[in-house]
Amino acid sequence: MFTRIWSWFCSLKVAIVLASLATAIAIAGSLLMQFNPQVFAGLDNYSFLDWQRSFGHKAPLLSSWFYLTGVMVLLLAANTLCCFIDWLLRFRSRWRKTGEYLIHLGFVLVVIAYFWGSFAGDRAHLSLRTGEVQPLPTQPGYFLRLDSIAPVIGTSGRPIDLLHNISVLHGDSIISSTTLHANTPLFINDATIVASGSDQQIIGFNVILPDLGYAADLTPGAIIRLNETTDLRVNAIHSDANNAYVNLTLFIAGETVWQGWYSSQQPVAAPLRQAGFNPIIRRPLLLATSELTINHDPGLRIASIGSILLTLGVVVALFSFYAKRRRGDRPEIR
Amino acid sequence: MSPTIQILLLKGAFFAYLLATTLSLIQTRRPSLRLQRITLLFFIGAFTLHTACLLGRWIVAGYLPVTNLFSTQFFFSWTLAATYLYFELRYRIQASGLFVIFLTLLLLASALPRDPAIPPLIPALDTPLFTLHIIFSFAGYALFAMAFSLGVLYLIQERLQTVLLPNLSELRKMNEEAIFLGFALFTLCMVFGSIWAQVAWGYYFSWNIKSVWSSIVWMFYGGMCHAKFVRRWQGRGYAWLSIAGFGVVLFTYLGIGLLMASNHPLE
């Protein structure tokens, strides 16, 4: 009884049926995916579980093919693993098929790693300003600091790449400094950090104050002396497509006399105007930011072992294929 | 290597392939050992010119130039020619490989009017993983094209029983070999592509339609490598599977590249 069940688990025909079903469902599903970008376009930005929580559960019919394919691939991996174990038990008589069975094991490991990573992994996005330190998501105790960003200029004179100089801190100490750019990620434990782009954040505004005859930078925390007794503190800034907003506090002789928002599209509040604050915005003050993608994949090491086994298996299988051909060891025609 | 020399080599290769094909066709009507040898010599000559052009472009560029439509057509045609030559030298397949030679000619003919200038390599492609991914991908595709051709010929031979084609046993053997080698090389293409994705994007599998279909191709041919052990699928069934598999390959290479938005555009 057990032998029969085991034979069924190891069955070649079962493997072919499962592979055919997985292929057929994936063909149909891939087309659903292509024509429903509102559901599937962001798949690569999330771990599978997070995507399912955010998008997949809202479209259960459209995303059902994932589960069907997943079940087929898992069953196929189980069948492949049984075949591998069965081969291992008869290794002495079937060692010539080592290459093929390394491919089997490699496939099983990659499938396990992918499922593990999809359900236990996490993908995060981090926007890091120059000089800023932020904790590394998914890796407690680790911090990232962006030291600088520099463009790489191509022969056409256009920037073709960006060098993101990053320091990794563990606690208070810097443990490494590295440059992220195209095809050069940073690996920390089972997290892969990739520079996915860059941006510029408005951190303030450079303004001219005509009544006072000088220019000033309105950045959070800055204090601007308007006259001997009057100071203006910048609390916060905000901007949208057309407007600049600055939250200010006006002090006269150390006493708060006014606090509120200055907007570039609104008349200046009377107390500010009377104190000589009638600014003309010259330009926003920009600070480069690195857009980082952090992919925490606990299955990555297993997937790496799987890919090594696949490669090794192919090489061994190619050698043994020609050896088998020389011996005439191949299936015969009816 | 100057563009003029490249074009000369390319045209030389094209006309030598054309001549070899014509001789192959003549041979189907008037088989002769001498003609067979001359055909092979022309084919080897064409392939040598083709290879010289490829190596020259590779040396000039400093990387395997397969970053635009001209280059991919050029490189794919080279892998097809190499596949034909492998089977010709190993099995003397002659006219059985005509489909693959026609495909080589078609790709070269469509590449010839295009600009052969080598574009500067963008940093995203500046990695040996890209080179390995491309080489194994096109080598796999070329072998699947050969398997398709052999599958069609198997069905023809089954019906016609002609002496112009190898016997069924030989055709089946070659078909299995093409599928196995194609699957092996395509596996390496997938492995190197996944490693490249990991270092470029931070994950080794993207839910992009090209990646999904590449997995489908891999799974399909993986299934075929097993199907040869099932009596029902041997012979005719295997031939039909080779034909269906090439349909999947064509959609993955051309259909997705030309008709759909993907991270593997053809142009």
Side-chain angles (χ1 to χ4, degrees), chain A residues 47-70:
Chain A
S47 68
F48 182 77
L49 197 62
D50 288 342
W51 173 83
Q52 173 57 27
R53 284 175 185 147
S54 308
F55 299 94
H57 82 278
K58 292 175 191 163
L61 210 61
L62 285 175
S63 54
S64 58
W65 74 275
F66 274 119
Y67 301 102
L68 287 171
T69 312

Side-chain angles (χ1 to χ4, degrees), chain A residues 169-217:
Chain A
L169 295 92
H170 191 233
D172 290 333
S173 51
I174 295 175
I175 54 167
S176 70
S177 290
T178 188
T179 302
L180 302 186
H181 59 106
N183 294 317
T184 313
L186 169 65
F187 293 99
I188 297 177
N189 301 328
D190 47 14
T192 309
I193 300 152
V194 176
S196 49
S198 75
D199 205 352
Q200 288 186 316
Q201 282 187 3
I202 296 175
I203 55 157
F205 302 96
N206 179 262
V207 295
I208 298 171
L209 301 169
D211 294 357
L212 304 172
Y214 58 85
D217 286 342

Side-chain angles (χ1 to χ4, degrees), chain B residues 1-265:
Chain B
M1 183 185 278
S2 72
T4 316
I5 296 175
Q6 286 179 37
I7 292 292
L8 274 177
L9 285 173
L10 201 56
K11 283 185 175 168
F14 177 78
F15 287 110
Y17 281 134
L18 196 62
L19 206 57
T21 311
T22 313
L23 292 174
S24 271
L25 284 171
I26 293 170
Q27 216 183 306
T28 58
R29 310 292 296 173
R30 293 180 182 175
S32 95
L33 193 63
R34 194 163 166 232
L35 197 58
Q36 187 185 330
R37 282 183 184 154
I38 294 169
T39 307
L40 180 60
L41 275 178
F42 269 108
F43 196 86
I44 290 172
F47 186 69
T48 307
L49 293 175
H50 204 165
T51 307
C53 189
L54 175 68
L55 288 176
R57 285 172 60 81
W58 195 335
I59 291 164
V60 167
Y63 64 92
L64 177 65
V66 276
T67 51
N68 59 9
L69 192 54
F70 171 87
S71 311
T72 51
Q73 285 175 324
F74 175 76
F75 186 67
F76 191 20
S77 63
W78 183 85
T79 54
L80 283 166
T83 302
Y84 171 79
L85 202 58
Y86 167 84
F87 279 93
E88 173 62 29
L89 293 176
R90 194 164 153 81
Y91 296 109
R92 294 285 182 269
I93 58 170
Q94 300 159 44
S96 310
L98 273 175
F99 169 75
V100 173
I101 309 180
F102 279 137
L103 214 54
T104 306
L105 279 171
L106 191 71
L107 283 167
L108 276 182
S110 61
L112 272 172
R114 293 181 190 276
D115 181 10
I118 303 168
L121 187 64
I122 58 167
L125 304 179
D126 190 6
T127 162
L129 292 167
F130 167 67
T131 310
L132 291 167
H133 176 61
I134 288 290
I135 288 174
F136 290 124
S137 156
F138 280 117
Y141 284 167
L143 284 155
F144 295 147
M146 178 56 89
F148 165 82
S149 169
L150 293 165
V152 171
L153 292 176
Y154 184 94
L155 297 175
I156 293 172
Q157 179 68 318
E158 206 178 34
R159 185 172 283 258
L160 299 180
Q161 296 291 332
T162 168
V163 289
L164 289 171
L165 293 172
N167 62 43
L168 286 177
S169 172
E170 279 293 308
L171 282 169
R172 185 194 142 196
K173 184 178 165 182
M174 289 189 283
N175 192 3
E176 283 174 11
E177 184 161 337
I179 294 292
F180 172 74
L181 293 178
F183 174 73
L185 298 183
F186 199 72
T187 303
L188 295 180
C189 154
M190 296 286 279
V191 167
F192 290 116
S194 302
I195 299 170
W196 183 24
Q198 183 68 39
V199 299
W201 305 325
Y203 42 86
Y204 54 88
F205 181 79
S206 162
W207 283 102
N208 185 283
I209 191 154
K210 183 80 178 186
S211 308
V212 174
W213 273 78
S214 297
S215 308
I216 289 169
V217 168
W218 187 82
M219 193 101 80
F220 186 93
Y221 284 102
M224 275 192 77
C225 287
H226 290 83
K228 69 182 174 193
F229 298 107
V230 180
R231 188 167 288 274
R232 187 186 293 176
W233 285 104
Q234 290 173 352
R236 188 189 304 161
Y238 212 68
W240 278 113
L241 283 177
S242 307
I243 293 164
F246 192 59
V248 179
V249 167
L250 276 184
F251 182 74
T252 307
Y253 175 53
L254 288 177
I256 291 172
L258 295 174
L259 304 175
M260 295 179 176
S262 88
N263 56 357
H264 285 64

